[in-house]
Amino acid sequence: MRNLITAARAIGIACAMSGGSVPVLAADISGAGATFPYPIYSKWADTYKKETGNGLNYQSIGSGGGIKQIQAKTVTFGATDMPLKAAQLEKDGLIQWPMVIGGNVPVVNIDGIKPGELVLDGPTIAKIYLGEIKTWDDAAIKALNPAAKLPSQAIVVVRRSDGSGTTFIWTDYLSKVSADWKSKVGANTAVEWPVGIGAKGNEGVANNVGQTKGSIGYVEFAYAKQNKMSHTRVINQAGKTVEPSMASFQAAAASAKWDAATGFGEILTDQAGDATWPIAGATFILMPKKPTDPAAATVALKFFAWAYEKGDKTASDLDYVPMPDAVVELVKKEWTKVTGADGKPVM
Amino acid sequence: MTTAVINRSATAGRQGALARLRRNDLLFKNLTYTAAIFVLILLGAVAISLLIGAWPAILAFGPGFITTQSWNPVTEKFGGLAPIYGTLVTSFIAMLFAVPVGIGIAVFLTEACPKPLRRPIGTAIELLAGIPSIIFGIWGLFVLAPFLQTTVQPALIAAFGSVPVLSSLFAGPPYGIGILTASLILAIMVLPFITAVSRDVFETVPPVLKEAAYGLGCTRWEVVRNVVIPHTRVGIIGGIMLGLGRALGETMAVTFVIGNAHKISSSLLAPGTTISATIANEFTEAVGDLYSSSLVLLGLILFVISLIVLSLARYLLWRLERREQG
Amino acid sequence: MATPSFDTSGFRARRNRSRIAMALCLAATLIGLTCLAFVLGTLLVKGLSGLSLRVFTEMTPPPGSDGGLLNAIAGSLIMTILAVALGAPIGILAGTYMAEYGRHDRLTNVIRFINDILLSAPSIVIGLFVYTVVVAPMRHFSGFAGAIGLAIIVIPVVIRTTEDMLRLVPDQLREAAASVGMPRAIMIRHIAYKAARAGMITGVLLAVARISGETAPLLFTALNSQFWSLDLNAPMASLPAVIFQFALSPYADWQRLAWTGALLITITVLALSILARTLGQKGQST
């Protein structure tokens, strides 16, 4: 019913506009980038719109896209899971800060394998993604899962086709645990994949793994959870088998330094600690120091302040780890670098 | 005296009106002329903007772009061979399926179909030719791909696993999506199109010719083979080329089911990519000038390929038209 | 018993060959129609299961929530209307030039050829073009850019039908008008257009049908939006873009909405084409 009224009001506005008078609408701001945090950003945006009337149109086109669009200034802010280096930020006149921490999890679609049942380690995942391990009943996988019933099915590798921060976290991890991977493929938002079908966004990988029997893919944990996919456990640097969870993602960030001078560019893969999830990462927002539309920048910053303040509950519901309060204070200080035409901070 | 004044002002009024009419006439003519010229400018602008956008990539990679398979955003080494190959192969396989079936349907509709059914079936097929390609895309992803992955592809892999050449054409694993799936979707999509064009050209065959052949005791098939098809050969080829042009440039139906892998594989079951799918997937997120420029260059190549195919198609159809008139 | 004995074996072989060939043609028809019926059948079943009033009254939801397609439907309508408003007049005027003023020009032949190229140019290339000349200089994605992309697709369709329809108008009408001293511009607007009206409207309807399902030119022009927005200067949702995003997502409720959206587009396109056909036939019979 309320939606009907909203619609009626919107149509009323449309008529008013066509009649010549242009009423001031609530400001909508646009952002684009990482698909990794899309579940949480879209939830936040939905709640924020209901509370304040200000909309935040976030398009999940991949971290590569977020970086490109903010460089071209076609959006108010960009989002990426691959932190830009300080020199690059300086060159493009951007500031960067982390919003939440999440975990990359391998997901599989094998008949009879339940969520959390399968165990994998870094080198085995690297071999699967290099195309060296081809079937699910390969000795390397069997050795890690003596009890599981693994079919002699071919492994269908699913990976990203777009520039992706999730891919950066994934390939960065594989580079750290496999020398072969490091020399043959390397780590970046997009790489030359030896095998597999390419899917667009975390959404696309989850979709393809869900559709394809015998497949393996990697997605942000929220996607696996929302769609009840079979994630695997992974053996971390300390040799312990860990479940993906808020606690294990948090453990990965335990020794992070969060330095504003480097744009908070911490990489959280393959960290020490018994409880640490090895494929974790923070997701970042990029904003120009001299925005073309300072008013929109103000609205955006207000949204992020609101998200830090009121969004923790929503974040933890989706197993994202909110940033510690001390880091939020540093970030807010960083925001004063965003200035309008008069040189004064927009917020 | 008074009448003379009235007459004079009337003449002046009429002349004024005539001048106004002439001015309006000229204005309207110029307006239509401008609009017509605008079309020329539009195509020129498309070509030039593509060329300018592609220039950095042309400078960086030269003609080697067309023969290089590597597509590496990290090292900024780009080659268009995989998408060009994918575009040509998917379209070719699609035509392999769609042409015989399409022409078969057209023959059936013009020669063998019971009269009351001809119009409804023909109309239905023409309407289907207008269905947006995104519909075929999501059908391919949700219906065709899982079906192929669980039933058809394992059977193909098993059946041809030990046959020398075919084993590499149908090498596993069964991904579900890939070159073959994309080709099948394209085939279903261009089928109504080829049918509609073939039926149209079959109907241009003068009944006298067919009746004469029947009068000589020809069978239906002999009439089709020796009269209808030779008479309309040029038109059929033109229609096929138009269908091919559509298949080459098709984006959405393919993007859903191609698998987006910048790799050329001998297997038809393997994922691949096409020019349009690559652009659709990567353009908004391409980081760096060379990356986006390479994508624009791919667009330019697609534009040129479809230009050649279309020009050929138009030329053939135009020849048919002229022969009919002459 | 001298019944005339013909050697019928040759004839029988020929007849059999003909029967086999015709049976293959019938099989082709059945295969083709089955495939197409299967596509439409799935669309109908999956699309109808998600169809409800909410689809028309609520916005596109974030994953995991309920919602509809209202903003996408509105965005598609706005961009389509704007594209036709931009493209149809240009197309009609250019078609008029080709059929009336420049009937024997070489220019007309060139334009007809160019127009055929535009008519079947890959729509993704048009998207690239609009991105470079509109989105990049304006520095933001916008519904306006999306409409321009669609307008470029409208123009060649309208030119083609306008020229064809005006050429069907008998020259006697033109001569009669000229003989009573009617200026050409007035003749065209009041006589030729009137005679060809049904056909020209058909052309515009066909153009609308063509663009209502176009996705590729919108992907990097209008982008997409999850909210209600009528601001032509901002990214705008459209049914095809939403279908693309939702169908490729893993969320069951998004996929359901994608099918429903696909059904809506198909119904629209079929309705428009049927309307165009009936109008076109009426136009030809008079």
Side-chain angles (χ1 to χ4, degrees):
Chain A
M1 191 60 215
R2 224 185 74 202
N3 281 297
L4 257 175
I5 295 168
T6 331
R9 200 169 56 206
I11 291 162
I13 292 169
C15 299
M17 276 180 82
S18 57
S21 70
V22 182
V24 179
L25 291 166
D28 277 2
I29 45 170
S30 65
T35 59
F36 180 96
Y38 180 69
I40 179 67
Y41 288 179
S42 61
K43 276 262 196 266
W44 278 345
D46 202 46
T47 320
Y48 192 64
K49 175 106 181 173
K50 279 177 191 143
E51 279 186 19
T52 65
N54 289 326
L56 171 103
N57 178 19
Y58 183 72
Q59 293 300 317
S60 59
I61 58 174
S63 295
I67 297 169
K68 180 182 175 187
Q69 299 307 340
I70 195 68
Q71 281 169 346
K73 297 200 174 140
T74 55
V75 286
T76 312
F77 68 90
T80 172
D81 318 316
M82 180 181 78
L84 291 183
K85 299 221 163 62
Q88 184 70 40
L89 291 171
E90 193 55 44
K91 189 175 147 243
D92 292 331
L94 299 171
I95 63 163
Q96 167 178 284
W97 71 88
M99 278 313 291
V100 285
I101 296 161
N104 225 340
V105 300
V107 284
V108 296
N109 179 352
I110 311 167
D111 282 335
I113 299 287
K114 291 186 286 294
E117 191 179 340
L118 204 68
V119 177
L120 295 172
D121 63 3
T124 311
I125 298 175
K127 279 192 186 133
I128 292 174
Y129 271 77
L130 281 168
E132 288 165 14
I133 294 178
K134 291 182 194 306
T135 55
W136 283 112
D137 56 355
D138 190 278
I141 303 176
K142 270 189 171 160
L144 294 169
N145 301 279
K149 262 205 210 137
L150 290 162
S152 67
Q153 201 173 14
I155 300 179
V156 174
V157 170
V158 182
R159 38 77 178 177
R160 293 283 289 273
S161 65
D162 49 340
S164 145
T166 315
T167 294
F168 169 75
I169 296 171
W170 184 252
T171 51
D172 182 69
Y173 170 66
L174 293 181
S175 294
K176 283 177 179 162
V177 295
S178 157
D180 247 15
W181 182 272
K182 193 171 183 181
S183 65
K184 285 184 187 156
V185 187
N188 209 318
T189 51
V191 294
E192 270 193 68
W193 298 95
V195 290
I197 45 180
K200 202 170 154 57
N202 267 294
E203 299 89 340
V205 172
N207 176 312
N208 270 319
V209 171
Q211 293 257 346
T212 317
K213 291 265 178 269
S215 59
I216 180 169
Y218 56 92
V219 291
E220 207 295 318
F221 188 45
Y223 288 87
K225 218 174 149 177
Q226 283 177 332
N227 297 296
K228 302 185 178 58
M229 310 183 73
S230 295
H231 64 266
T232 73
R233 285 175 291 163
V234 176
I235 298 172
N236 66 13
Q237 199 194 44
K240 299 279 191 295
T241 306
V242 280
E243 269 281 343
S245 68
M246 252 182 93
S248 63
F249 302 157
Q250 203 146 25
S255 54
K257 283 185 273 305
W258 305 117
D259 182 5
T262 60
F264 305 92
E266 292 285 323
I267 290 164
L268 308 175
T269 55
D270 202 32
Q271 298 290 304
D274 283 357
T276 298
W277 180 253
I279 333 172
T283 181
F284 302 86
I285 299 290
L286 297 167
M287 238 167 111
K289 287 181 200 160
K290 291 251 174 258
T292 40
D293 181 358
T298 313
V299 179
L301 287 176
K302 275 192 183 141
F303 166 79
F304 291 120
W306 173 90
Y308 274 139
E309 211 167 295
K310 305 229 173 112
D312 288 2
K313 170 78 175 63
T314 326
S316 9
D317 285 347
L318 290 166
D319 286 84
Y320 289 96
V321 182
M323 299 310 293
D325 289 343
V327 180
V328 173
E329 284 317 305
L330 290 175
V331 169
K332 285 188 173 163
K333 212 178 279 167
E334 194 71 5
W335 285 351
T336 55
K337 289 187 185 160
V338 180
T339 54
D342 53 359
K344 288 199 188 112
V346 298
M347 200 171 110
Chain B
M1 171 88 191
T2 45
T3 46
V5 171
I6 289 168
N7 272 344
R8 206 176 304 145
S9 73
T11 322
R14 189 176 297 153
Q15 269 169 353
L18 275 176
R20 206 166 51 243
L21 281 177
R22 207 169 301 132
R23 210 169 46 237
N24 284 346
D25 208 16
L26 199 67
L27 195 75
F28 187 71
K29 184 183 172 179
N30 285 337
L31 202 63
T32 61
Y33 183 73
T34 318
I37 293 295
F38 179 77
V39 178
L40 291 185
I41 297 172
L42 192 61
L43 190 82
V46 171
I48 291 169
S49 81
L50 286 180
L51 198 62
I52 292 175
W55 198 245
I58 295 175
L59 282 185
F61 305 116
F65 184 82
I66 299 173
T67 53
T68 314
Q69 202 192 128
S70 150
W71 184 267
N72 192 332
V74 181
T75 56
E76 298 219 307
K77 290 267 176 300
F78 299 102
L81 186 61
I84 294 171
Y85 168 86
T87 303
L88 297 178
V89 167
T90 48
S91 301
F92 176 74
I93 300 175
M95 299 319 275
L96 226 51
F97 286 109
V99 168
V101 177
I103 292 181
I105 298 177
V107 168
F108 177 76
L109 282 182
T110 47
E111 303 299 327
C113 185
K115 277 265 157 58
L117 283 179
R118 275 184 201 187
R119 256 181 76 91
I121 296 182
T123 314
I125 284 175
E126 273 168 34
L127 286 177
L128 288 170
I131 290 192
S133 57
I134 191 165
I135 311 294
F136 291 97
I138 75 171
W139 184 80
L141 179 68
F142 288 115
V143 182
L144 187 64
F147 171 72
L148 289 178
Q149 202 230 346
T150 49
T151 55
V152 177
Q153 294 187 347
L156 284 174
I157 294 167
F160 297 115
S162 49
V163 187
V165 181
L166 293 176
S167 69
S168 68
L169 266 185
F170 297 105
Y175 286 105
I177 57 183
I179 296 271
L180 183 70
T181 315
S183 308
L184 286 177
I185 287 291
L186 278 180
I188 296 178
M189 217 194 77
V190 295
L191 180 65
F193 196 76
I194 290 182
T195 308
V197 176
S198 315
R199 200 188 55 138
D200 281 352
V201 296
F202 285 167
E203 277 171 0
T204 65
V205 178
V208 184
L209 286 183
K210 288 200 279 186
E211 279 155 20
Y214 281 123
L216 286 174
C218 282
T219 61
R220 256 187 200 156
W221 173 239
E222 283 162 350
V223 171
V224 170
R225 239 198 68 176
N226 301 322
V227 178
V228 176
I229 290 185
H231 188 84
T232 54
R233 195 191 303 124
V234 183
I236 297 175
I237 296 174
I240 292 174
M241 299 292 261
L242 280 185
L244 182 63
R246 238 189 119 168
L248 287 169
E250 178 47 45
T251 310
M252 300 323 290
V254 172
T255 307
F256 278 96
V257 292
I258 188 77
N260 311 313
H262 279 277
K263 253 179 129 52
I264 295 178
S265 167
S266 60
S267 172
L268 294 181
L269 307 183
T273 190
T274 66
I275 294 177
S276 44
T278 303
I279 300 173
N281 268 324
E282 301 180 23
F283 190 73
T284 40
E285 45 231 30
V287 197
D289 292 340
L290 209 51
Y291 192 175
S292 8
S293 173
S294 301
L295 288 169
V296 178
L297 179 53
L298 278 181
L300 183 66
I301 292 172
L302 177 64
F303 190 57
V304 172
I305 296 178
S306 51
L307 198 79
I308 294 170
V309 171
L310 290 169
S311 311
L312 216 56
R314 291 293 164 198
Y315 173 72
L316 290 173
L317 287 174
W318 171 77
R319 248 182 52 181
L320 180 81
E321 231 168 73
R322 228 178 44 154
R323 206 179 56 190
E324 232 177 77
Q325 284 166 1
Chain C
M1 295 296 279
T3 41
S5 76
F6 295 113
D7 180 16
T8 51
S9 67
F11 175 67
R12 212 172 286 144
R14 281 170 54 212
R15 197 180 55 186
N16 286 343
R17 204 176 307 142
S18 176
R19 279 189 181 155
I20 291 169
M22 284 302 140
L24 284 177
C25 287
L26 177 65
T29 311
L30 291 179
I31 292 172
L33 288 179
T34 313
C35 280
L36 295 168
F38 196 24
V39 174
L40 287 184
T42 322
L43 179 66
L44 210 59
V45 170
K46 298 228 179 192
L48 280 179
S49 77
L51 198 62
S52 67
L53 196 60
R54 304 179 83 145
V55 171
F56 303 99
T57 55
E58 291 184 21
M59 306 301 155
T60 48
S65 320
D66 286 321
L69 294 166
L70 177 60
N71 51 337
I73 294 172
S76 274
L77 279 178
I78 291 171
M79 285 190 281
T80 306
I81 291 171
L82 194 60
V84 172
L86 286 172
I90 297 177
I92 289 176
L93 286 174
T96 307
Y97 178 82
M98 292 160 70
E100 299 289 340
Y101 291 108
R103 198 180 285 192
H104 307 290
D105 281 8
R106 179 173 292 174
L107 177 71
T108 301
N109 282 326
V110 173
I111 293 174
R112 195 175 303 131
F113 179 71
I114 300 279
N115 193 54
D116 278 347
I117 291 171
L118 274 181
L119 195 60
S120 19
S123 51
I124 189 111
V125 171
I126 290 169
L128 278 180
F129 168 66
V130 176
Y131 180 89
T132 13
V133 300
V134 183
V135 178
M138 278 172 76
R139 303 217 139 191
H140 53 83
F141 297 101
S142 61
F144 188 62
I148 290 179
L150 295 179
I152 295 178
I153 296 172
V154 168
I155 291 172
V157 179
V158 174
I159 288 185
R160 182 77 181 272
T161 42
T162 305
E163 197 207 346
D164 287 354
M165 289 305 142
L166 284 178
R167 273 169 184 262
L168 285 180
V169 175
D171 278 341
Q172 286 93 318
L173 281 182
R174 296 192 177 88
E175 283 153 13
S179 68
V180 296
M182 190 182 270
R184 212 159 171 192
I186 295 181
M187 183 280 290
I188 292 170
R189 276 175 298 180
H190 292 267
I191 293 178
Y193 280 178
K194 202 169 267 175
R197 192 171 53 198
M200 286 160 66
I201 295 174
T202 302
V204 175
L205 287 176
L206 285 178
V208 174
R210 169 91 197 270
I211 59 172
S212 49
E214 276 291 350
T215 318
L218 295 176
L219 288 178
F220 20 84
T221 52
L223 204 67
N224 199 349
S225 166
Q226 69 187 96
F227 298 117
W228 175 261
S229 166
L230 295 171
D231 185 358
L232 279 172
N233 238 335
M236 191 176 259
S238 64
L239 269 179
V242 167
I243 293 173
F244 185 48
Q245 185 195 3
F246 282 16
L248 281 173
S249 83
Y251 307 107
D253 32 0
W254 272 20
Q255 291 178 1
R256 204 163 38 242
L257 278 175
W259 279 108
T260 307
L263 181 65
L264 292 181
I265 288 186
T266 310
I267 290 173
T268 312
V269 171
L270 288 182
L272 282 168
S273 337
I274 290 170
L275 189 64
R277 288 177 74 87
T278 33
L279 260 180
Q281 273 157 7
K282 221 182 268 169
Q284 265 171 1
S285 61
T286 49

